[in-house]
């Protein structure tokens, strides 16, 4: 009976896997349609200066409003789009949308506009040499100054040296800044800093979670702030959820932070409201907005 039960459990497991595989296949084929029918949109999460909380930049984060499923997380559909190649077009769409939003904010708010627009780029995009042309085209078409664009890549995308690293170098040569996202969770973090042009480290939430804990729990976040300092890199603490963490990160020398404590990823209108508050308070905004 135990054997029988084991078998059933395995059969159920295999069925679950089939269901998930089918679901992924279906989502995959819907991605093209989604692009055509404007089902993607971007939210923008502020990156703020410590300790005051002024908006220093924003990170564009994609969302998919699926006609039947509702909101689908990028954690679900970006990996699928990487496997079926749709990331090339989706990524180009996100880049163009984010850059034109940034130019619109600069026209409307001048010096109060966010200083930098961050856009996430996946490994597969970097492995296509045409991506450099896409970036150059988008900058030209939107008129965005390359210095106002920050592309977020992961260590894993470039650690093996090859074509992806060449792409990053070519993009950097355009004047675009490069951030290493989820820093510390990928491969060969430190040696990469010698070969890859990097301007910003984004220290992963998993290291930030411990900053108010013991010396051991906060050791890596502490070390990363020091590495950034000696290497003259900018550094952002990701996933800051409490005031105590924000205070501690400021003490550790983090100039910038991002997280639900300051603001969630917001629709453009909510970012604009923050910019307006910022002007009213002469650069000392209370970043308490919570949305979506
Ligand atoms: P990421 O680039 O590391 O983005 C940070 C993620 O952490 C976002 O999730 C954000 O909503 C979430 N987050 C921010 N602050 C906090 C916090 O205080 N607590 C917690 N628990 N989470 C926080 P999101 O928007 O679901 O995006 C997930 C990932 O999907 C991103 O991770 C990025 O790797 C990818 N992604 C998003 N948009 C794009 C895109 O346009 N292109 C590509 N290639 N990837 C994207
Ligand atoms: Mg990111
Ligand atoms: Mg990140
Ligand atoms: Mg992360």
């Amino acid at each position: 009976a135990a054997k029988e039960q084991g078998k059933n459990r395995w059969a159920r497991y295999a069925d679950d896997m089939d269901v998930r595989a089918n679901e992924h296949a279906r989502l995959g084929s819907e991605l093209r349609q989604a692009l055509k029918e404007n089902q993607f949109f971007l939210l923008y999460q502020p990156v703020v200066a410590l300790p005051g909380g002024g908006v220093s930049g924003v990170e564009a984060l994609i969302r998919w409003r699926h006609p039947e499923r509702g909101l689908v997380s990028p954690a679900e559909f970006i990996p699928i789009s990487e496997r079926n190649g749709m990331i090339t077009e989706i990524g180009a769409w996100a880049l163009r949308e984010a850059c034109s939003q940034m130019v619109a904010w600069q026209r409307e708010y001048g010096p109060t506009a966010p200083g930098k627009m961050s856009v996430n780029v996946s490994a597969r995009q970097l492995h296509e040499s045409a991506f450099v042309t896409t970036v150059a085209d988008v900058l030209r078409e939107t008129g965005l100054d390359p210095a106002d664009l920050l592309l977020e890549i992961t260590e894993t995308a470039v650690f093996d040296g090859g074509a992806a690293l060449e792409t990053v170098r070519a993009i950097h040569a355009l004047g675009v800044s490069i951030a290493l996202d989820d820093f510390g969770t990928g491969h060969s973090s430190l040696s990469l800093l010698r070969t890859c042009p990097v301007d910003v480290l984004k220290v992963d939430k998993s290291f930030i979670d411990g900053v108010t804990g013991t010396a051991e729990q906060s050791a890596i976040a502490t070390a990363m702030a020091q590495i950034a300092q000696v290497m003259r890199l900018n550094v952002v603490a990701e996933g800051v959820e409490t005031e105590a963490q924000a205070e501690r990160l400021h003490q550790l020398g983090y100039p910038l932070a991002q997280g639900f404590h300051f603001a969630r990823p917001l629709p453009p209108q909510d970012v604009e409201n923050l910019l307006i508050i910022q002007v009213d308070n002469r650069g000392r905004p209370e970043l308490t907005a919570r949305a979506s």
Side-chain angles (χ1 to χ4, degrees):
K3 198 173 173 190
E4 189 68 11
Q5 237 178 22
K7 211 169 169 185
N8 288 342
R9 208 175 302 137
W10 168 251
R12 263 200 308 274
Y13 174 73
D15 282 350
D16 284 353
M17 294 296 279
D18 277 351
V19 168
R20 288 186 49 185
N22 285 336
E23 204 170 288
H24 280 188
R26 193 159 347 107
L27 277 182
S29 64
E30 287 167 351
L31 286 167
R32 180 171 300 281
Q33 189 76 0
L35 201 53
K36 265 200 302 215
E37 297 186 354
N38 283 317
Q39 291 167 12
F40 296 112
F41 63 100
L42 298 180
L43 296 179
Y44 300 90
Q45 186 177 33
V47 177
V48 306
L50 293 175
V55 178
S56 145
V58 292
E59 176 177 4
L61 294 160
I62 197 167
R63 297 290 182 268
W64 180 8
R65 201 186 304 284
H66 189 286
E68 288 111 40
R69 289 159 206 250
L71 271 193
V72 185
S73 154
E76 191 171 352
F77 72 83
I78 291 289
I80 297 173
S81 75
E82 283 171 352
R83 283 197 292 275
N84 76 5
M86 276 302 291
I87 188 62
T88 305
E89 284 169 66
I90 295 170
W93 174 84
L95 182 67
R96 186 167 277 110
E97 174 73 15
C99 290
S100 35
Q101 177 61 260
M102 185 64 167
V103 168
W105 279 334
Q106 290 177 333
R107 291 203 177 121
E108 175 113 21
Y109 297 96
T112 313
K116 277 212 192 284
M117 173 61 75
S118 289
V119 180
N120 291 283
V121 175
S122 74
R124 170 125 181 200
Q125 290 172 277
L126 294 176
H127 278 93
E128 292 169 0
S129 59
F131 184 61
V132 182
T133 314
T134 301
V135 174
D137 286 351
V138 167
L139 288 169
R140 200 189 50 247
E141 286 161 22
T142 59
L144 184 66
D145 183 343
D148 298 336
L149 179 62
L150 179 65
L151 294 186
E152 300 194 1
I153 65 172
T154 60
E155 301 157 277
T156 309
V158 283
F159 88 103
D160 58 358
L165 183 55
E166 284 314 311
T167 306
V168 173
R169 288 186 175 135
I171 290 167
H172 199 250
L174 295 174
V176 173
S177 301
I178 303 294
L180 283 182
D181 203 356
D182 308 331
F183 187 66
T185 62
H187 292 93
S188 70
S189 318
L190 296 180
S191 63
L192 195 62
L193 297 178
R194 287 183 299 169
T195 55
C196 184
V198 175
D199 306 284
V200 181
L201 300 180
K202 298 196 72 171
V203 177
D204 192 68
K205 181 179 190 303
S206 57
F207 305 114
I208 301 306
D209 286 342
V211 287
T212 53
T214 64
E216 235 168 88
Q217 286 164 335
S218 62
I220 293 177
T222 305
M224 285 183 175
Q226 291 165 350
I227 289 166
Q229 196 169 24
V230 296
M231 297 202 66
R232 296 171 191 283
L233 301 173
N234 219 334
V235 60
V236 181
E238 290 196 280
V240 179
E241 292 183 342
T242 69
E243 175 62 27
Q245 287 176 333
E247 271 169 27
R248 184 77 187 120
L249 288 162
H250 175 57
Q251 288 168 356
L252 292 177
Y254 280 83
L256 297 167
Q258 188 177 353
F260 295 171
H261 171 62
F262 301 102
R264 290 191 175 254
L266 304 169
Q269 181 62 58
D270 290 11
V271 174
E272 289 163 26
N273 293 338
L274 283 183
L275 298 177
I276 292 162
I277 293 170
Q278 186 154 272
V279 174
D280 290 350
N281 292 2
R282 291 188 210 91
R284 288 193 293 112
E286 282 200 56
L287 290 176
T288 49
R290 297 280 192 280
S292 9

